[in-house]
Amino acid sequence: MRVKQRSLVTGLQRAIAGLMVLGAGGTAMAQSATEDAATTLDRITVTAQSREQELKDVPIALQVVDQNLLSDVAAENLGDIDAFVPGLVIDAVQPTQPSFRLRGVETSDFGIGTDPAVGIFVDGVYGGRGGGVLLPFVDVERIEVLKGPQGTLFGRNTAAGAISLVTRRPQAETEARATVRVGNYGKKYADAMWNIPTGDHSALRFNALINTSDGWFQDGATGKDLGGENVWATRAAWQVTFGDNTTAYVSWDHESLDQNGRVTTGIVALPPYPQRPTVPANPDDFLDPRKTPTYSDADNAEWRTFDGVSLIVDHALSWGNLTSTTSWRQYDSTNHTEEDATNRFDLYVDSVNTESNETLYQEFKFSGSNEHIDWVGGVSYFKEDADQTSQVNTNTEAVDNIVRNLGIAPTPDGSLFGFTSLLAQMNGIPISLVGERWNERFTNTLATKSYAAFGDVIWKATDRLNLTFGLRYTRDEKDFTWLNTPRNAPGLEAKLDTLEAIGFFQALAGMGIPISRELLTFDMAFIDPPAMVNKGRKVRDKKSWSDWSPRFVIDYHFNDDTMVFASLAKGYKAGGFNALQIGPAFENEDVWNVEMGIKQAFDRFSYNASVFHYRYDNRQAIRLVDPDPNNPVDIPRYVFDTGDLEATGIDFDMRWKVTDGLTLDAQAEWIDSKYKNYITPEGIDLDGEATGEPRFSASAGAAYQVELGENGRLRLSARHAYRGRTRCNAASDLQGDCGVSRLLDIGEPRERTDLRVSWTSPQGYWNWAVYGNNVFDNQYVRGLNTYGRGPLGVVGATITEPRTYGLEMTVKF
């Protein structure tokens, strides 16, 4: 294995060296080619270091997603671009519960007790918690994906990196645009923009979009559409200049999402009712969800309302600039998902996650430059108030099946409510306890305050050598509560009250039958000793964490075209709490990253390459586990899970303007990510084993533009993405992340190809396009829902999207 790894690294090094030669050769070719073919790449300006710089001068590994890529893949939110950014993985199946992974680092927790490891920023404003960051693209100009820890420049919760979305600001001229897109699976999308000058020194920009689709699942029994989209959003921005020195920019974003929830396909063949599936489910008998009908009897639903207001004031002073950024964001969301992946009432389990979140952010940033230094410094304050309720819904018939499978009922048939109902009816009491609704819930609240002070200085030691030192101090304070309430089953409780009032349980006791009111009053979900002890009682904990996050960078410019750099940077994520287990608290996450790279930019060819190594301490996570590994049908629960890991990798990207019409680009990442000092909650020692992150991921694109003279111009684009095989470990199958059966190769390599052909009128007023995403119709199993594998014998699977295609029309004036 070591020989293979060494040969792969060597191969990548040779590839990078070859591309360097290719870049130099490209310049020579440009000089010898005709003037018609000789053209230059567009310059890319970014704000990755809190100051405007050309991409080639920024000593950070980052990829810029521009408007061309967004159009080529018909991207509507961040979940549509991750395949084309190697190292970035976004789970966007549930917009209110997304997850972000960058270079193998993520937070796999939907609870409000922990923070994300990848920070999302819009126009420099921190986006906050995951439930409110996967929003539709509205007037996005570009996206900067910064890889590696960004604690010094961007602050808390950027241990893995940062994603910075930059929107278009209001312009001084009147402008309008409208786009309509229709496609298969009932796709209907429309967005519009209107830019209006409101005076000599101010302008208003207004956007609106609506996006709907039927989804590509239908219920196998009813034919009802499952999944789909239904979202509309608006954005208004106003910019005004006061005198020569001050600019104020205020923006308001609103989103309303109301659609079907996540679709899960059952992959266990069910015997006829009232027979029950085998427990635990046998992976060798799993069905292929891509070829299996989907059945559902839950009101799967996902909705969110979001509002955000930002005010950015820039004021030029004699010694530099002052920028004040103020932001308020608020959202309410609900995610209702069926967990059993069947339409059987006797196997029914669903979950509901409800969240309300409000944040306030204030930053004052000072910056300046002279012939010797560029500097940025400032202070910030962040406040968050969040409430979350996590629920499980089932019914007493399904509970009876769980009880039977657990073998804990002292009755002949293994049930509780069914057998009690039978006894009642045999004694002339017309009461049935079977089929009554059953609800259990965990309620959490979070109050966070975060304070920070930061500074970053670039010292221009010589004309070619720059030395950078940055430091941020952060203090996080969190006040967290848990409340695990007793089960809520009003219909059942009323019937039990009746039975108790007429002396039914007393009579059973007299006959020596071990069924009592107390026996029938228990909780199934969240079976956890702290939760049971504190049932119905609010538990509170307060903790604070502090951190110093430095970064050191050396960059040297051999000439105007070539820069090399080396950096050492720290990323920090605040500690937190396990929302579904009372008591456990996480400590800080720390990521130290060392990186060396080279950037070259010629007239027609540019590339960036870097080698990195990071150490990731105290990775925070919650993990769904069987509390008793020796009992395969026990009730699973979410438990506290931390560990350390480290990784070594290579990042590479290039752009090549081959001719006036043809442009090529490519991106790749190779990474070797392994656990270091990690034992899973099930007791499996994973020290030295792979974390699951594939070794290799890449994407490539080609665009060709044909000028048609008076007939406008034609543009053809093709993009292909590849993500390698998941590197399984000894615990992967317990989480449904790898392999698991002969039929389902979960974690297999994934490929996607997108094509687009567009025509633009001579004056640019009209644009027509046809597009196809995933044109080869490659579908993969995302993962398994094993929540009911033990207690009910059911397992569900989610799969990636099939081929989609459509027609798009844009008009500008």
Side-chain angles (χ1 to χ4, degrees), residues 3 348 433 485 590 713:
V3 174
Y348 184 85
L433 305 180
T485 56
D590 293 330
R713 60 183 178 274

Side-chain angles (χ1 to χ4, degrees), residues 39-298:
T39 186
T40 59
L41 286 167
D42 294 332
R43 292 185 177 184
I44 299 177
T45 300
V46 297
T47 53
Q49 295 192 112
S50 295
R51 45 177 77 85
E52 287 195 355
Q53 295 173 285
E54 279 196 58
L55 176 61
K56 67 183 182 68
D57 295 326
V58 179
I60 296 175
L62 70 111
Q63 181 177 337
V64 176
V65 177
D66 61 12
Q67 187 57 53
N68 284 332
L69 192 153
L70 296 177
S71 297
D72 288 347
V73 302
E76 295 167 358
N77 61 46
L78 286 170
D80 295 326
I81 68 165
D82 64 332
F84 304 98
V85 182
L88 175 64
V89 178
I90 300 174
D91 184 348
V93 176
Q94 302 176 93
T96 62
Q97 294 181 9
S99 66
F100 296 81
R101 180 162 80 249
L102 193 55
R103 284 185 172 177
V105 177
E106 73 172 329
T107 300
S108 54
D109 182 359
F110 61 86
I112 63 173
T114 57
D115 291 313
V118 180
I120 312 297
F121 298 81
V122 180
D123 293 330
V125 175
Y126 177 56
R129 192 163 301 284
V133 297
L134 193 67
L135 300 170
F137 288 151
V138 181
D139 217 17
V140 172
E141 178 179 311
R142 71 178 186 275
I143 302 168
E144 301 174 13
V145 181
L146 288 73
K147 300 181 179 182
Q150 305 296 324
T152 302
L153 291 170
F154 284 86
R156 63 198 297 272
N157 303 333
T158 56
I163 300 175
S164 176
L165 288 80
V166 180
T167 65
R168 294 182 178 85
R169 289 205 172 190
Q171 303 299 311
E173 298 180 356
T174 300
E175 179 186 4
R177 184 201 70 246
T179 298
V180 175
R181 185 182 301 151
V182 294
N184 59 337
Y185 301 112
K187 182 69 170 184
K188 298 179 182 67
Y189 172 95
D191 74 64
M193 180 277 298
W194 190 15
N195 188 96
I196 319 160
T198 56
D200 293 338
H201 304 286
S202 64
L204 173 68
R205 194 175 181 94
F206 180 78
N207 293 80
L209 73 79
I210 185 169
N211 183 19
T212 65
S213 70
D214 298 334
W216 35 276
F217 288 95
Q218 285 77 40
D219 189 283
T222 66
K224 177 183 176 182
D225 289 326
L226 304 174
E229 303 159 295
N230 183 22
V231 60
W232 66 271
T234 59
R235 176 180 174 84
W238 185 59
Q239 182 166 287
V240 58
T241 300
F242 302 99
D244 296 330
N245 298 328
T246 305
T247 299
Y249 172 66
V250 60
S251 62
W252 166 71
D253 293 273
H254 174 79
E255 183 235 29
S256 176
L257 180 147
D258 187 1
Q259 60 193 36
N260 293 329
R262 183 197 70 197
V263 179
T264 305
T265 302
I267 58 173
V268 174
L270 301 178
Y273 178 82
Q275 299 179 54
R276 306 186 307 279
T278 301
V279 173
N282 186 350
D284 291 336
D285 297 330
F286 286 170
L287 306 174
D288 189 337
R290 293 160 291 196
K291 302 175 182 179
T292 303
T294 300
Y295 299 98
S296 175
D297 56 0

Side-chain angles (χ1 to χ4, degrees), residues 396 400 404 413 415-423 425 433-434:
T396 53
D400 259 353
R404 286 191 183 98
D413 67 349
S415 71
L416 286 176
F417 301 104
F419 188 71
T420 303
S421 300
L422 177 63
L423 292 177
Q425 293 162 10
L433 305 180
V434 177

Side-chain angles (χ1 to χ4, degrees), residues 482-495:
W482 297 264
L483 176 61
N484 184 208
T485 56
R487 75 167 187 212
N488 179 29
L492 173 63
E493 297 299 337
K495 292 179 178 180

Side-chain angles (χ1 to χ4, degrees), residues 56-57 464 557-562 601:
K56 67 183 182 68
D57 295 326
R464 300 186 181 279
H557 296 250
F558 287 100
N559 50 51
D560 291 341
D561 300 327
T562 305

Side-chain angles (χ1 to χ4, degrees), residues 3-4 49 140 199 267 281 291 375 393 430 435 552-553 631 730 792 800:
V3 174
K4 291 182 178 179
Q49 295 192 112
V140 172
I267 58 173
K291 302 175 182 179
W375 59 274
N393 294 294
F552 307 91
V553 185
N631 184 357
L792 283 171
T800 60

Side-chain angles (χ1 to χ4, degrees), residues 779-794:
Q779 284 190 279
Y780 306 96
V781 180
R782 293 180 185 272
L784 301 186
N785 171 16
T786 58
Y787 188 85
R789 178 182 174 185
L792 283 171
V794 293

